[in-house]
Amino acid sequence: MKKQTKGILAFAFLGGIMVTSGVVIAIPGLTPEDDNPELTITGTPADNFPDEDRPRFCGSGNAKSTDFVTEYSIPTECTNPLAIVTDYDGNVWFAQTNTGKLAKFDPNTETFTEYDNPTWPKNGRSMMWGIDYAPDGSVWFTDETFDSVWKFSTIDEKYDRLGYPSETDSLPQRLHIDGSQIIINDFTGNKLTFFDIGQSTGDVEYISLPSPVDNSVTADFTLDGDGNVWYTNWLFQQGGVLVKFDQNGYRNAVQESGKEFFAGEMFTEIYQLPVELLTPNGAVVSDDGKIWLADTTSSSFFSFDPISEEFTQYVTADPLLSTYGNQTGVIKTPISRPYWIDSDEQGRIIFNEQNANNISVFDPKSNSLVEYHVPSKNPFWGDCDPGTGLMVADCGLAQIFDFAVDGKKIWFTEWVENNIGVVDTSVQLPLEIQLESEIISLNPGISQNIDFVVLPNSNGETLGGSLILGTTHDFLNVELNPDNSQSFQLLSGTPQSINAKISASNDALPGEYKVLVGIQSSDIAISKYVTVTIE
């Protein structure tokens, strides 16, 4: 695949996402290009874009903040920050897709340092989806345009490039350091690659594991406590499989036989994904051994229990109107699009919602979901033009494409706003959701009350917003009782009861489902899941 074509493919996936949301966005390489676009030379990375595209890719304003989120503007214009990680000292490292540089942010001094990459081609651009920090003080990251894996030494501040091995089309994406090896998924090359970086000779050996579904993509991966690698293999909008690879068993067999061989069915187990799960990008293992997957073509994320081999679907709150604008009225069913997913030391599941501009935290122990809204938005990534040619204020997306968990803080990048930011999950939440019942049983064709209380915290503030009533399936419906309103105002110190009703249609399928109830304001959404069993 030619480099230009592969770059188009990477943007095509994003473009397809935005178009199916009802917002048609001009994507480089996909739309007719002006033969002579106006290009004002500024001496900055913005010169990689024609003048008309710079507002779309270079940012729309200054960094903003809320009670929970703090943003920081990158000093260099139009860097397009993407992959992000923290080191052992709390410094934040991120890759810049429009410069080929690695950059560091020191949270203590709130200063940026950008490290020139002398071997990066002039005007080169590349999506850099994967990054990790190694114990020797080096930062490794992927580069899809030039089929590269980069190593940056934070000690001598030098870059080394490793060519990504592939005999066919390749797109090295996510990257994880596991002991002396680096694991990378080849998104379009449909394989996992394991690099041995512990060789004293300086040579880097590798093995590649082809994925079981032909002509598909190999997405994110995660390691469980036994060293098994779990990853997804799927066809766009057609579904796929969850794969478990026993890498330790395979390596022991290789060592005993003295030669490498195709792992095949002997060391892999395959689980069919549920039909509702079409685009599982992110993957992570929680401390209880469950596998969690983020679905980028819906508002859902899923858990998989390896013991029972059952999937459970969870839904997020709907995106705020400000994220998609809907000035033309074409968006009928907005979705949040969970993208990547991770876990923290407390066992919480963390994911970014691309189309909701959120960083979200789910606690499996309390069945609670907190969605932190990122304030900066680029209006060129939403339906924000009412037909006048002028964008409405506070509308669009920052394109939050990666995040890194560091204790109780979650750092993230804003690809089209030229910012990085941090969510502080230690900040007290303004309210708490208390369910009257956490478990409800229903028969098809039957309705039942689903009531909860909203308890304000002690800071004395009044909070306004809207109610969250979310389900995962059309045969389940949640609606407010007539004496309640969809809009909501919580007075300081006054608990408020919410009365709703859940109904199962006559064609409801037996099973266990999660229903989301809570409150959403302009800065944060706080909810809990009710488990509904249809018998």
Side-chain angles (χ1 to χ4, degrees):
M1 183 181 290
K2 296 180 180 179
K3 298 301 179 185
Q4 181 182 6
T5 307
K6 189 172 70 171
I8 292 173
L9 175 63
F11 276 102
F13 185 64
L14 298 179
I17 286 176
M18 299 309 294
V19 169
T20 55
S21 299
V23 184
V24 181
I25 301 297
I27 303 296
L30 294 180
T31 52
E33 295 185 1
D34 188 343
D35 291 337
N36 296 293
E38 186 173 347
L39 184 67
T40 302
I41 301 302
T42 65
T44 72
D47 295 347
N48 285 348
F49 296 102
D51 291 2
E52 64 179 2
D53 286 338
R54 291 178 185 178
R56 179 177 293 112
F57 291 99
C58 297
S60 63
N62 297 324
K64 303 174 182 178
S65 297
T66 70
D67 290 340
F68 314 97
V69 176
T70 304
E71 298 178 339
Y72 303 91
S73 291
I74 300 168
T76 301
E77 183 181 356
C78 203
T79 64
N80 295 141
L82 187 53
I84 188 169
V85 71
T86 58
D87 64 23
Y88 304 145
D89 295 322
N91 296 306
V92 182
W93 297 85
F94 59 95
Q96 301 176 345
T97 68
N98 199 32
T99 69
K101 298 179 183 179
L102 196 67
K104 181 181 75 171
F105 177 74
D106 185 336
N108 295 319
T109 60
E110 298 187 357
T111 55
F112 289 87
T113 305
E114 300 174 67
Y115 300 90
D116 286 330
N117 187 343
T119 59
W120 192 257
K122 184 179 180 181
N123 300 324
R125 287 183 290 165
S126 179
M127 297 300 282
M128 301 164 174
W129 294 103
I131 192 170
D132 208 353
Y133 183 82
D136 65 356
S138 59
V139 179
W140 294 75
F141 59 98
T142 58
D143 150 27
E144 72 169 35
T145 299
F146 306 106
D147 287 339
S148 303
V149 182
W150 294 87
K151 175 186 177 182
F152 177 78
S153 171
T154 62
I155 299 173
D156 59 22
E157 300 181 359
K158 293 183 178 179
Y159 291 88
D160 287 310
R161 176 189 174 274
L162 176 66
Y164 185 78
S166 183
E167 298 177 357
T168 57
D169 303 339
S170 64
L171 196 162
Q173 195 183 37
R174 304 294 278 180
L175 180 152
H176 174 69
I177 297 175
D178 178 37
S180 63
Q181 72 173 351
I182 290 178
I183 308 174
I184 297 174
N185 69 300
D186 185 349
F187 187 73
T188 56
N190 203 21
K191 67 179 182 293
L192 292 179
T193 302
F194 300 78
F195 294 92
D196 185 355
I197 59 174
Q199 300 291 321
S200 58
T201 60
D203 296 329
V204 177
E205 298 181 355
Y206 69 90
I207 60 172
S208 289
L209 174 70
S211 296
V213 180
D214 293 334
N215 303 314
S216 63
V217 300
T218 297
D220 197 13
F221 57 91
T222 184
L223 277 70
D224 66 21
D226 296 324
N228 299 304
V229 182
W230 296 79
Y231 64 99
T232 56
N233 194 206
W234 45 271
L235 298 163
F236 183 60
Q237 296 284 39
Q238 299 179 50
V241 296
L242 175 64
V243 184
K244 174 185 176 183
F245 171 52
D246 178 7
Q247 65 163 330
N248 292 332
Y250 171 73
R251 292 183 183 280
N252 291 337
V254 168
Q255 187 173 8
E256 292 175 3
S257 65
K259 59 181 180 181
E260 292 185 1
F261 57 88
F262 178 58
E265 297 180 357
M266 185 180 304
F267 298 99
T268 58
E269 298 177 23
I270 299 174
Y271 305 90
Q272 189 68 39
L273 295 175
V275 295
E276 299 87 359
L277 179 49
L278 293 176
T279 312
N281 271 313
V284 72
V285 176
S286 55
D287 53 9
D288 60 359
K290 289 182 179 179
I291 315 300
W292 295 82
L293 304 172
D295 181 20
T296 312
T297 48
S298 74
S299 293
S300 294
F301 60 104
F302 293 73
S303 69
F304 174 74
D305 187 336
I307 298 176
S308 65
E309 299 185 7
E310 292 182 348
F311 288 88
T312 301
Q313 182 178 1
Y314 298 79
V315 68
T316 70
D318 289 338
L320 292 170
L321 178 61
S322 62
T323 60
Y324 58 97
N326 212 21
Q327 292 298 305
T328 64
V330 299
I331 304 173
K332 306 303 180 184
T333 310
I335 54 178
S336 63
R337 300 193 186 279
Y339 210 109
W340 303 121
I341 196 164
D342 204 346
S343 62
D344 65 8
E345 297 172 348
Q346 302 175 56
R348 300 181 299 182
I349 305 302
I350 298 165
F351 54 96
N352 57 321
E353 299 176 29
Q354 181 200 0
N355 270 23
N357 229 48
N358 289 339
I359 296 291
S360 301
V361 180
F362 169 62
D363 188 340
K365 298 179 180 66
S366 62
N367 265 319
S368 62
L369 177 67
V370 180
E371 299 166 270
Y372 296 93
H373 193 64
V374 174
S376 281
K377 302 179 181 71
N378 189 315
F380 290 92
W381 294 87
D383 185 16
C384 303
D385 183 353
T388 63
L390 299 175
M391 299 293 183
V392 298
D394 189 33
C395 182
L397 298 172
Q399 295 295 8
I400 304 163
F401 279 147
D402 201 18
F403 64 90
V405 180
D406 184 28
K408 293 184 178 181
K409 293 187 176 182
I410 307 166
W411 292 90
F412 59 89
T413 52
E414 301 176 15
W415 189 60
V416 297
E417 282 294 89
N418 207 46
N419 296 330
I420 68 168
V422 62
V423 176
D424 188 348
T425 66
S426 68
V427 176
Q428 184 183 27
L429 300 179
L431 59 87
E432 179 185 346
I433 303 297
Q434 187 176 81
L435 301 175
E436 182 176 286
S437 177
E438 297 183 357
I439 301 174
I440 293 177
S441 296
L442 279 180
N443 289 320
I446 300 299
S447 299
Q448 189 170 326
N449 288 337
I450 179 171
D451 302 329
F452 61 98
V453 177
V454 183
L455 300 172
N457 67 20
S458 58
N459 64 10
E461 295 181 357
T462 299
L463 180 71
S466 59
L467 291 173
I468 298 170
L469 302 171
T471 65
T472 56
H473 293 74
D474 291 338
F475 53 71
L476 284 175
N477 181 55
V478 183
E479 58 185 1
L480 288 173
N481 288 338
D483 55 340
N484 288 127
S485 171
Q486 184 66 43
S487 60
F488 183 88
Q489 188 172 41
L490 183 65
L491 301 177
S492 60
T494 306
Q496 188 165 337
S497 296
I498 306 297
N499 307 114
K501 180 176 66 175
I502 182 167
S503 304
S505 64
N506 290 326
D507 59 353
L509 300 176
E512 188 175 282
Y513 304 94
K514 301 294 183 179
V515 171
L516 186 66
V517 297
I519 303 296
Q520 179 164 239
S521 71
S522 59
D523 294 339
I524 195 169
I526 302 171
S527 316
K528 275 198 170 183
Y529 291 95
V530 179
T531 299
V532 177
T533 301
I534 298 180
E535 300 172 338

